[in-house]
Amino acid sequence: MILFAALLVNANWIQVGQVNRLKKEPTNARQITERLERQRGGIIAGDEELAISVPVDDEYKYQRQYPAGQLYANVTGYYTLFTAAGLERSEDVFLSGDDDRLLASRVTDLFTGEERRGGTVVTTIVPRLQQVATEALAGRKGAVVALDPRTGAILAMVTSPTYDPNTLASHDESAATDSYQGLSTDKNQPLLNRPAQQTYPPGSTFKLITAAAALSSGRYEPDTRVPAPDELTLPQSTTVLPNFDGETCGDGETDTLIHALTISCNTAFGELGIELGDDAVRAQAEAFGFNSTIEDFPLQQARSIFPNDLDGAQTAQSAIGQFNVQATPLQMAEVAAAIGNGGVRMKPYLVSELRGPDTKRISRTEPTVLSKPITPEVAAKLTTMMQSVVTSGTGRKAQISGVNVAGKTGTAEHGDGEDPHAWFVGFAPASAPEVAVAVIVEDGGGELGTGGAVAAPVAQKVMQAALDTQR
């Protein structure tokens, strides 16, 4: 009787107490069959289908397909026999048709005899920009992010190298497993969504934040002269901070803040960081989003970092985006977008609408203000300084005929014996921005390569395409 009682308790515990855990178990064959027998909703961008479910003649009724292959893989993610990633994961409940907002559709299906279907996720991605950004990277390892600075909508999000999610969505378990194993162990990390998941030293693009802190302090103006020696001996150290390629800034002793940014003078901004102090620079970085993540963002993201408890030498290095400062391309696109938007930082978003199986709109994303890291006056001054970078400084290759462009280049060191990363961030048109971008080309700053020579042309093509598309 004791054993029968134990069996009864155990059976009830499994069927009641553990039902939710067992139901969500990835290897639960019944769950796999149930979800793959249902027509999953699509993921679209404009008029282009990024992910669809098509009928198949095998043990499952529908096969997930990605018509554009690699082009949107880091956005859509993948939906496999056992797991999911990207939007396929974050929007799974809606795509599968289980979302409470689709209850009316499910009730209707009961009366009409229709099978349950999932809803459609409409992204903010502009297909033309995604294509142009991918082609501009030309297979080089790196990332591109394009935002609408007025709303925060993500217009393009490109990572390289990437992968074909169709190989992971195969109903052949062995083939799908082999594909995943190959991708997950690839040293180039094609499964990594570099725009949001990978942090890099931002290099001289971070000088925008240091300049913002200086202007916000009320002690500096764009034409204020600041110390700018050919070499800066770091405090409590014998280490010397040089300028790029040993160049001289200004008269060799001082330079104006605007010209120091235009030519990307290391010593001027290192000295400026020391003068402001690490707390002031950190506070400005955090106002732009460092040391935090975006709440409810649908893709996995890494936290951009401005370190704590810096001494004078570390503060000088951090003020030029080195030492232990780390940023995602998405974070640096946010910095550029906030400056271009008059000092207002909008929340980046990737999903613009959710639609029911009948194509009727269920919900729409409304632009949200995240913070106001700088005043409109400081934003205007920074914009003028960034225009100088593009018209007569290190960012000349970002110029667009007939359009004023604001930007900042960066060439970021990241390891002994490694070529530096090449960066560019900016927005256009400078007076009323319609697009903000961040570009990084990993190890792209070797030999004569710099952020201005390597990353700026990529950004120029994306900004030009964005302006052409919106007009």
Side-chain angles (χ1 to χ4, degrees):
M1 289 181 66
I2 292 173
L3 289 173
F4 273 114
L7 288 171
L8 183 62
V9 169
N10 185 62
N12 278 277
W13 171 242
I14 290 174
Q15 294 182 43
V16 179
Q18 294 185 294
V19 63
N20 288 328
R21 183 183 67 80
L22 293 172
K23 185 176 181 180
K24 295 177 181 179
E25 176 63 41
T27 56
N28 184 337
R30 181 175 296 177
Q31 287 297 112
I32 295 171
T33 300
E34 181 182 338
R35 61 188 174 89
L36 292 177
E37 284 184 342
R38 186 184 306 168
Q39 186 173 3
R40 190 171 175 81
I43 302 175
I44 64 175
D47 295 327
E48 188 165 343
E49 294 179 318
L50 313 187
I52 58 176
S53 288
V54 298
V56 291
D57 186 18
D58 61 20
E59 60 182 308
Y60 309 112
K61 291 183 178 180
Y62 291 95
Q63 168 74 56
R64 202 60 167 164
Q65 290 185 358
Y66 303 89
Q70 299 183 0
L71 187 58
Y72 303 96
N74 62 308
V75 175
T76 62
Y78 49 80
Y79 189 75
T80 75
L81 290 172
F82 304 113
T83 188
L87 287 179
E88 292 277 30
R89 180 174 182 173
S90 61
E91 300 295 337
D92 178 55
V93 176
F94 193 82
L95 289 165
S96 66
D98 292 331
D99 195 290
D100 289 343
R101 289 169 291 184
L102 297 175
L103 179 60
S105 177
R106 293 201 297 271
V107 171
T108 301
D109 290 342
L110 286 175
F111 287 100
T112 62
E114 293 282 345
E115 294 182 351
R116 184 186 298 186
R117 294 168 294 162
T120 297
V121 173
V122 184
T123 72
T124 57
I125 297 294
V126 178
R128 173 63 179 155
L129 264 62
Q130 189 81 357
Q131 184 69 49
V132 168
T134 299
E135 292 174 354
L137 270 181
R140 292 171 294 186
K141 192 181 296 184
V144 179
V145 179
L147 301 175
D148 184 333
R150 302 162 296 187
T151 64
I154 297 174
L155 308 177
M157 179 176 276
V158 171
T159 188
S160 178
T162 185
Y163 64 97
D164 185 353
N166 288 297
T167 63
L168 297 173
S170 171
H171 287 176
D172 183 330
E173 181 180 338
S174 177
T177 300
D178 289 345
S179 178
Y180 180 79
Q181 288 296 326
L183 291 168
S184 63
T185 57
D186 189 327
K187 65 178 181 179
N188 291 315
Q189 297 180 287
L191 293 176
L192 182 69
N193 181 27
R194 286 171 164 78
Q197 283 184 274
Q198 183 64 57
T199 59
Y200 306 88
S204 292
T205 62
F206 189 85
K207 291 172 183 173
L208 293 174
I209 295 176
T210 304
L215 294 170
S216 296
S217 72
R219 295 159 26 211
Y220 298 87
E221 294 292 331
D223 59 358
T224 300
R225 298 200 73 86
V226 296
D230 289 345
E231 292 183 339
L232 174 64
T233 301
L234 299 179
Q236 296 89 44
S237 171
T238 58
T239 301
V240 172
L241 177 66
N243 289 315
F244 180 77
D245 205 25
E247 67 183 357
T248 294
C249 305
D251 59 13
E253 295 183 2
T254 65
D255 199 358
T256 61
L257 186 58
I258 185 171
H259 188 256
L261 188 76
T262 300
I263 64 172
S264 202
C265 181
N266 286 340
T267 58
F269 278 89
E271 187 74 59
L272 194 60
I274 295 170
E275 190 67 28
L276 292 168
D278 70 309
D279 287 341
V281 181
R282 183 182 305 103
Q284 187 64 78
E286 290 179 347
F288 277 109
F290 279 72
N291 296 334
S292 63
T293 54
I294 305 164
E295 188 176 353
D296 299 324
F297 193 68
L299 303 180
Q300 286 186 308
Q301 56 182 311
R303 187 190 303 265
S304 297
I305 299 295
F306 188 89
N308 292 313
D309 303 321
L310 302 178
D311 61 26
Q314 293 165 344
T315 299
Q317 292 173 318
S318 298
I320 63 169
Q322 296 288 173
F323 186 55
N324 289 334
V325 180
Q326 294 285 311
T328 64
L330 177 59
Q331 172 66 76
M332 295 313 298
E334 286 186 75
V335 171
I339 295 170
N341 197 39
V344 179
R345 177 180 169 232
M346 304 300 292
K347 181 178 180 178
Y349 64 98
L350 189 58
V351 176
S352 62
E353 289 183 13
L354 297 178
R355 297 176 184 169
D358 57 1
T359 73
K360 290 183 179 179
R361 182 190 296 166
I362 301 295
S363 68
R364 182 175 184 175
T365 303
E366 295 296 331
T368 303
V369 174
L370 274 184
S371 63
K372 296 181 180 180
I374 51 178
T375 65
E377 293 75 21
V378 169
K381 293 172 185 177
L382 278 172
T383 298
T384 299
M385 293 167 66
M386 292 170 70
Q387 284 182 262
S388 179
V389 171
V390 176
T391 57
S392 55
T394 57
R396 290 184 178 90
K397 290 192 176 182
Q399 294 176 4
I400 298 174
S401 178
V403 178
N404 290 325
V405 177
K408 182 68 190 81
T409 60
T411 307
E413 297 178 1
H414 63 98
D416 293 337
E418 300 286 343
D419 288 333
H421 298 321
W423 277 93
F424 182 89
V425 302
F427 51 88
S431 58
E434 298 173 24
V435 60
V437 298
V439 175
I440 184 169
V441 179
E442 294 184 24
D443 307 322
E447 296 294 332
L448 298 178
T450 61
V454 178
V458 176
Q460 189 270 349
K461 292 177 182 177
V462 176
M463 289 188 289
Q464 178 73 73
L467 298 180
D468 292 344
T469 300
Q470 295 188 38
R471 291 170 186 172

